[in-house]
Structures are given as C-alpha cells and as structure tokens.
Amino acid sequence: MFRIAIDGPSGAGKSTIARRLASRLGIDYIDTGAMYRAVGYKMLKNGIALDDRDGVRQLLDHTEIDFSDGKILLDGQDVSSLIRTPEISAQASACSALGDVRVKLVELQRNMGSKKSVVMDGRDIGTNVFPDAEYKFFITADAEERAKRRYLELKESGQKVELAQILTDIRKRDHDDSTRAINPLRKAEDAIEVDTTHMSIEEVTEFICREMNR
Ligand code: DC
C-alpha cells in the first residue's frame, strides 16, 4: 500500500495528472479540492454564512461526501459539474480557511487513504493529511499559464468567462490559500517540485512515474 500526495496552486494541472497516474497505477484518485467545493456549494445553497460557526458545524454534521466512478457525491447527489464555477471556486477557498471544515474533511481524507493505495491532490496533502506519504510532488506553473488553462477549460464546458478576470481570481486564491492560518498551501520539504509551465500533461506524468521508479 502506498500514497501519492500531489499539492500545488489552482490550475497547475494537479487533478488531470493525478487522475492519469491513478488510472495508470490502477489505484483510486481522491480530489480533495472537490470536497471543499462541495461543502462551499452546500453552504451557499443553504444560506449558511462563513462566520456562522454553529450553522457550519450543524451543516458538517449532516453532510456526507463520497467518490464513485470519478464523480463526487454530496449527500448522495452527483454535484461534479455544479461545483466547477468561479463562484464556487471563491466559496471553496473561503470555507477552506475555516477550522471546523478542515478538521472534518481532513479526517475523511485520512480515512479514504488508510485502507487502500491512493493518489490524493490538494494543498496540504504532503504537509498535513499524509505527512508520511511514500511519494510527494508539488506541481506549479506561472499564474498566467494557469489562468490560460483554466480559461480554456471553463470555455470548453460552455461557461462565459474572461481571461483577465480568471487571472485576477487565481492570484487572489494563491494569496488566500498560501497565507491562511490553518494548513496553508506550502511545499513539503521532502516533496519533489515540478514546474509545468512549459510541460505537457504527458511529460509531467512521465516525469512523476520516472521519479517514483528511482
Ligand atoms: O483544487 P481546487 O481548486 O478544486 O480547490 C478548491 C479550494 O479548496 C482551493 O481554493 C483551496 C481549497 N483546498 C484546500 O484548502 N485544501 C485542499 N487539500 C484542497 C483544496
């Protein structure tokens, strides 16, 4: 049994790479960002404010999150596409700074990775969720390149978006995610850093597989 931790800022290509690795190795992929997105989505839907601590706790106590066939299930409902909007990106980043939210999701993540081999991507997997993961990678890319990738992705899914706005959003999220008090985005000391600005998905996947076989 082994765990592969993949961390890095938004839009660096973590999830695509993690999904490829998982299918190549025949193990599960767990997208922890989707879990924060699902909680953010439910808070918005239920009108729970970020500073409503009791409301957030209540909501967390009555929330089930699971993965099935690459889809994320929130209380049994597939919310995979509902959570991929700029509004939910901002809400996920905001609610991921709440201690109660992190405690609940980190516990779930540790459970998911304790029974079988997994590839898990996020911001704090190598530093906090699985500090003892067998393999750790920190995937980055220039903010402009990440904004371009996110722009193409959202456009392809039919959303009306502007590149300049996405770049602004990405910079804000980078700042918020890496300066929050609890488990901020940070490269684990023993993680291998991969700058993917000028690399294709195939090149990054190959690089990681080679590093794992060393
Ligand atoms: O990877 P993503 O863009 O789907 O993540 C959404 C938000 O969730 C991101 O702004 C930061 C937060 N997040 C986190 O704090 N810890 C994780 N392990 C994964 C995501």
Side-chain angles (χ1 to χ4, degrees):
M1 227 193 75
F2 60 93
R3 282 146 319 183
I4 308 174
I6 299 195
D7 290 303
S10 34
K14 297 185 302 287
S15 58
T16 314
I17 291 154
R19 195 172 285 117
R20 290 229 178 163
L21 271 177
S23 94
R24 197 153 147 168
L25 298 167
I27 62 179
D28 278 12
Y29 162 52
I30 294 162
D31 176 354
T32 65
M35 299 169 77
Y36 289 94
R37 285 171 181 272
V39 169
Y41 168 80
K42 187 165 173 179
M43 280 175 66
L44 276 184
K45 211 174 103 185
N46 292 7
I48 308 290
L50 286 158
D51 59 0
D52 175 2
R53 194 152 184 204
D54 288 339
V56 171
R57 285 185 170 174
Q58 276 253 343
L59 179 138
L60 290 170
D61 282 346
H62 298 93
T63 295
E64 274 186 36
I65 294 179
D66 224 325
F67 289 91
S68 167
D69 289 336
K71 309 234 178 302
I72 180 156
L73 305 181
L74 171 66
D75 302 323
Q77 187 205 347
D78 175 10
V79 291
S80 311
S81 52
L82 295 174
I83 58 170
R84 302 283 159 204
T85 66
E87 187 192 17
I88 302 297
S89 296
Q91 177 72 10
S93 180
C95 84
S96 75
L98 303 178
D100 292 318
V101 172
R102 299 207 74 85
V103 166
K104 158 111 183 185
L105 294 189
V106 167
E107 187 192 341
L108 266 176
Q109 289 153 14
R110 288 191 179 136
N111 277 337
M112 289 173 173
S114 68
K115 297 169 207 112
K116 51 192 176 189
S117 295
V118 292
V119 182
M120 199 174 274
D121 82 347
R123 304 293 188 288
D124 63 336
I125 312 305
T127 52
N128 175 50
V129 180
F130 292 123
D132 56 348
E134 285 72 7
Y135 305 99
K136 296 184 187 179
F137 296 92
F138 193 78
I139 313 259
T140 63
D142 288 351
E144 285 82 7
E145 174 64 23
R146 288 187 280 125
K148 223 185 313 168
R149 292 177 189 170
R150 190 48 51 95
Y151 171 74
L152 293 174
E153 204 177 279
L154 290 171
K155 223 174 81 173
E156 225 164 75
S157 74
Q159 298 190 45
K160 261 212 187 113
V161 282
E162 275 183 42
L163 182 58
Q165 184 59 49
I166 292 181
L167 180 57
T168 307
D169 292 352
I170 278 199
R171 289 207 164 114
K172 174 172 172 15
R173 277 219 284 156
D174 282 358
H175 176 265
D176 292 350
D177 292 346
S178 50
T179 56
R180 68 165 177 244
I182 320 167
N183 308 139
L185 168 66
R186 191 165 57 76
K187 174 186 166 308
E189 266 174 31
D190 52 350
I192 297 172
E193 183 160 352
V194 194
D195 181 343
T196 72
T197 307
H198 304 292
M199 288 171 89
S200 68
I201 296 290
E202 285 72 27
E203 285 170 333
V204 182
T205 313
E206 279 309 316
F207 175 84
I208 289 180
C209 287
R210 266 203 314 275
E211 285 297 324
M212 288 178 62
N213 285 324
R214 267 179 1 137

